Amino acid sequence: MADTNLETKWIGDGADMEKIKSDLLTLNMGPQHPATHGVLRVEIQTDSEIVATARPHLGYLHRCMEKHSENLEWRQVIPYVDRMDYLAAMNMELGYCLAVEKMLGTEVPRRAEYIRVMVSELQRIASHLMFFGVYAIDLGAFSPFLYAFQDREFILRIFEELSGARLLYNYIWLGGVWNDINDDQLRRIETFLDELDEKLHKYHNLVGENHIFVGRTANVGVMNKDYCYQYGGTGAVLRGAGVDWDLRKKRPYGIYEEFDFNVPVGEGTKGTLGDAWDRYWVRVREIWESIKIVRQCLEGIEEGPIMGKVSKVLKVPAGEVYMRTECPRGELGYHLISDGGKTPYRLKVKSSCFTHTSMLVEVAEGQMIADFVATIGSIDIVLGEVDR
Amino acid sequence: MHSEWTSKINAAVSGANAEHVAAEVGDDTIFVASEKILDVCKYLYSAEGMEFNVLQVVTGTDYEDRIEVSYVLASFINNLELILKVKLPKASKDATPELESVCSVWKAANFLERETYDMVGVIFKNHPDLRRLLCPQDWEGWPLRKDYVVQKVYAGMEVNPAHKINTADIYFGEKLKSSAADPKKFSYSWKKPEFYPEGAQTSSTTEGE
């Protein structure tokens, strides 16, 4: 609601507020707008340049994925979960497969585990590079986008060789992975990582240390620790608020406990702890950590089968499971209920983008519209995962 | 761990009737009485040794005679996880059972409960803003109920008109089936002919072939 303090701030004390009271203007941001990262529509009540209230309207990309999965066999669900977060499809598949495997008690071969970790970390790099480029575009810088896409392209090509698809892979299957990786690909990944490791310093100096970029992001969209807990914020949003929380460390899944890496957290370097710049910096440092993990994979990968034993006509024993994994955008949870049949009885996806969208409402109040765009960009949502 | 929590809940909240269901596969759950859900959540939020400070999921599952609402709670302080469930009996097929909102404990519940209301048709009492979230405000029915049928007309438009339904999978499936060694073992789509409305082409006469 229009706060009179805002008005006195701009007009000055002693003015006859009754006569010059400004009206609130309703402004629709989206659903078709590049700054909303897809089809998010936010109904904003603006008081001149200041956001008085913001109301997100979801559902423009609602494809009833949860309803569909009730009619699909366990394996057939995998391509559908790909389409939730289409920028991190490998991580989506990994979570679903781990949830079903937990119910089945399937053993995954070592080589498949290594490939899984490798592809999901490469996907994390690709997703964060996408964030890096798109966030710069949100704030008015075009060229970082081109740099980021050049490097992302390499990862997509490797994935295309592995799975046959560039974005929606259907690569991680129940019990293992679909296709083996060869030595040539491993070697190329190694060279690529060496290059990216160096280039990333350059990219960060170009964007992150840029005076305008810092001005646009520091002290903007501050989400502190308690705010994150209240709304269930996870991932880079929570780590940006200075909380050392990464599921790969805290509740390791797969073979993540064997790897040595750090969890970057926000420190309030350029402004307040938990601002947009901190979230940016956490993500960029996560790329280096992912590079570390993939390098350890390349060293430790073992020969062997890539598929465990899973029966052809698959029936999952009755029961329920909640499986959380750390995705590029935050925690992804699959709440799976089985009645012992060939299809899931109920599949509920806990999406981090969904919870982060609900966090926008309170942060937006009192912000400039341009800062609100910077806030939406910094939480890095994908609407496919919000609406499912 | 769960049985210890169950007795703690029973001791702290009178009438909670917490019941521990040990699972053979997957995760254990705790059922509580639906009238006491808010008190139980308040207790779990602050109880020593638990401190479930994050609400991850609120969702409903439709069964023939009841709706089960699950709350997945997580503690980022003690690194714990809990699936809390309540049973809501359905008086009739279209009944919308009521439940107390937990928005006063976690703000995350706002959107999650709106989604549950939208999808399964559970009314949350004392919710600050209970509107549909993913579907349009004037949508009819509760899509994630098992007996849900899509409405025929929405805002003057026909929903799923027969001529717009893609039947290519059926056509190619049939084509492959006819050439399969053992057609009985061959399956190509979960969509049975009765899935399609009248007038949809499910035979091998697709245009543009």
Side-chain angles (χ1 to χ4, degrees):
Chain A
M1 295 302 113
D3 191 340
T4 44
N5 291 336
L6 294 175
E7 283 159 4
T8 45
K9 191 173 156 195
W10 294 103
I11 298 161
D13 291 333
D16 191 350
M17 293 307 293
E18 284 306 309
K19 280 184 188 164
I20 51 171
K21 196 169 171 55
S22 60
D23 283 339
L24 290 182
L25 175 76
T26 307
L27 186 75
N28 265 311
M29 202 167 136
Q32 306 295 343
H33 190 282
T36 55
H37 292 231
V39 281
L40 173 66
R41 176 177 151 224
V42 189
E43 189 186 328
I44 307 174
Q45 300 254 310
T46 62
D47 183 6
S48 63
E49 273 291 293
I50 294 170
V51 179
T53 59
R55 258 168 50 156
H57 293 265
L58 311 180
Y60 286 88
L61 206 55
H62 179 49
R63 291 157 299 181
C64 326
M65 175 258 160
E66 286 170 13
K67 184 77 178 173
H68 276 305
S69 62
E70 288 174 13
N71 290 307
L72 294 164
E73 286 177 18
W74 295 95
R75 283 192 184 87
Q76 290 174 328
V77 179
I78 299 174
Y80 282 74
V81 300
D82 271 346
R83 279 149 182 82
M84 290 193 310
D85 183 350
Y86 39 80
L87 297 176
M90 287 289 188
N91 301 69
M92 301 284 124
E93 288 167 13
L94 180 65
Y96 175 75
C97 289
L98 286 171
V100 181
E101 280 159 10
K102 195 172 167 187
M103 303 270 271
L104 289 168
T106 315
E107 287 254 329
V108 181
R110 290 285 293 175
R111 186 174 175 83
E113 290 275 25
Y114 272 108
I115 297 177
R116 280 180 175 195
V117 171
M118 208 182 325
V119 289
S120 52
E121 291 308 315
L122 282 173
Q123 181 77 87
R124 194 184 308 274
I125 297 174
S127 171
H128 283 346
L129 282 172
M130 178 85 180
F131 160 79
F132 175 84
V134 172
Y135 194 36
I137 284 204
D138 279 351
L139 303 179
F142 185 72
S143 49
F145 180 75
L146 301 175
Y147 292 124
F149 261 54
Q150 236 171 9
D151 293 323
R152 182 172 172 263
E153 185 62 26
F154 173 86
I155 297 172
L156 296 193
R157 289 208 177 147
I158 282 287
F159 284 168
E160 192 178 2
E161 283 176 32
L162 283 177
S163 68
R166 279 170 61 81
L167 281 176
L168 309 165
Y169 309 107
N170 192 10
Y171 177 67
I172 297 176
W173 278 9
L174 300 178
V177 293
W178 174 64
N179 189 10
D180 206 350
I181 193 164
N182 63 33
D183 291 345
D184 179 47
Q185 284 155 348
L186 294 177
R187 205 163 45 241
R188 271 152 52 209
I189 292 174
E190 200 176 356
T191 342
F192 164 73
L193 292 179
D194 292 343
E195 283 171 16
L196 182 66
D197 200 346
E198 277 178 31
K199 275 197 252 173
L200 207 53
H201 289 282
K202 199 168 77 184
Y203 294 172
H204 172 63
N205 287 338
L206 183 71
V207 176
E209 302 292 336
N210 182 305
H211 192 69
I212 302 171
F213 183 85
V214 174
R216 287 291 307 276
T217 52
N219 297 320
V220 166
V222 179
M223 298 179 185
N224 61 21
K225 184 175 138 187
D226 293 330
Y227 186 72
C228 288
Y229 285 153
Q230 265 296 313
Y231 277 97
T234 48
V237 176
L238 185 63
R239 286 194 287 275
V243 183
D244 178 10
W245 182 270
D246 190 319
L247 285 180
R248 292 172 293 171
K249 284 269 188 208
K250 298 281 177 183
R251 304 174 79 89
Y253 50 93
I255 52 166
Y256 268 109
E257 36 194 350
E258 297 171 18
F259 295 102
D260 171 38
F261 62 99
N262 303 322
V263 179
V265 292
E267 289 145 0
T269 324
K270 302 283 176 187
T272 327
L273 182 66
D275 61 6
W277 197 88
D278 272 346
R279 291 193 281 277
Y280 156 83
W281 185 219
V282 163
R283 287 203 179 90
V284 172
R285 277 181 293 167
E286 271 181 22
I287 300 182
W288 277 306
E289 298 306 325
S290 292
I291 290 176
K292 249 192 226 173
I293 297 174
V294 180
R295 276 188 182 141
Q296 288 169 48
C297 277
L298 293 169
E299 266 174 36
I301 192 164
E302 297 163 15
E303 292 296 319
I306 52 161
M307 206 58 187
K309 274 184 192 155
V310 186
S311 68
K312 213 160 188 193
V313 181
L314 195 60
K315 281 188 182 171
V316 174
E320 62 185 273
V321 74
Y322 185 66
M323 184 76 212
R324 292 149 79 189
T325 55
E326 187 76 33
C327 286
R329 284 172 185 76
E331 271 180 31
L332 176 80
Y334 285 99
H335 185 213
L336 204 58
I337 300 177
S338 167
D339 61 347
K342 282 185 184 175
T343 63
Y345 190 78
R346 176 88 172 85
L347 172 63
K348 161 76 187 169
V349 184
K350 182 262 163 188
S351 141
S352 51
C353 297
F354 181 84
T355 41
H356 293 166
T357 312
S358 69
M359 292 169 88
L360 282 176
V361 180
E362 232 174 276
V363 169
E365 283 168 26
Q367 263 189 335
M368 304 282 279
I369 294 176
D371 287 348
F372 185 49
V373 173
T375 312
I376 295 181
S378 74
I379 59 169
D380 193 20
I381 45 175
V382 161
L383 268 292
E385 199 189 330
V386 176
D387 297 341
R388 299 180 297 276
Chain B
M1 201 154 54
H2 279 73
S3 49
E4 184 196 328
W5 292 344
T6 313
S7 46
K8 271 188 182 175
I9 294 171
N10 277 331
V13 184
S14 63
N17 294 331
E19 189 190 333
H20 172 214
V21 180
E24 284 173 31
V25 290
D27 295 335
D28 288 12
T29 50
I30 293 178
F31 277 90
V32 295
S34 59
E35 312 84 57
K36 293 287 175 188
I37 183 68
L38 183 59
D39 296 339
V40 171
C41 284
K42 269 182 190 161
Y43 169 69
L44 288 174
Y45 180 77
S46 54
E48 206 175 315
M50 302 194 226
E51 290 164 278
F52 287 102
N53 57 347
V54 173
L55 177 68
Q56 295 232 322
V57 171
V58 177
T59 191
T61 313
D62 185 38
Y63 295 89
E64 255 173 48
D65 58 335
R66 65 187 191 280
I67 290 177
E68 286 185 3
V69 179
S70 334
Y71 297 78
V72 179
L73 319 179
S75 166
F76 281 30
I77 299 167
N78 301 320
N79 199 359
L80 303 169
E81 203 177 277
L82 165 66
I83 304 179
L84 189 70
K85 295 186 102 179
V86 297
K87 277 181 191 167
L88 298 172
K90 272 196 295 188
S92 69
K93 211 174 67 137
D94 301 322
T96 48
E98 289 191 348
L99 190 61
E100 194 68 36
S101 163
V102 294
C103 283
S104 52
V105 187
W106 302 279
K107 285 178 181 170
N110 188 331
F111 266 40
L112 292 167
E113 285 178 348
R114 272 178 70 185
E115 195 196 335
T116 310
Y117 162 72
D118 185 0
M119 290 291 140
V120 201
V122 177
I123 307 246
F124 289 93
K125 286 183 283 183
N126 302 325
H127 187 284
D129 181 22
L130 195 65
R131 291 176 294 127
R132 280 181 183 270
L133 185 63
L134 297 174
C135 293
Q137 298 306 318
D138 49 355
W139 196 255
E140 289 165 19
W142 315 108
L144 277 177
R145 292 218 182 161
K146 292 286 174 184
D147 53 5
Y148 172 69
V149 183
V150 185
Q151 63 196 63
K152 287 216 168 71
V153 179
Y154 172 70
M157 295 176 284
E158 194 186 344
V159 179
N160 285 341
H163 65 277
K164 280 196 175 170
I165 287 180
N166 184 0
T167 54
D169 54 341
I170 297 280
Y171 170 60
F172 286 110
E174 279 187 1
K175 204 173 161 186
L176 288 172
K177 192 174 184 176
S178 61
S179 59
D182 188 356
K184 272 185 191 168
K185 283 187 179 170
F186 191 89
S187 73
Y188 52 86
S189 176
W190 56 270
K191 295 173 195 163
K192 303 286 176 291
E194 59 268 22
F195 171 82
Y196 293 101
E198 274 179 39
Q201 292 178 338
T202 49
S203 62
S204 53
T205 51
T206 313
E207 278 176 46
E209 222 286 305

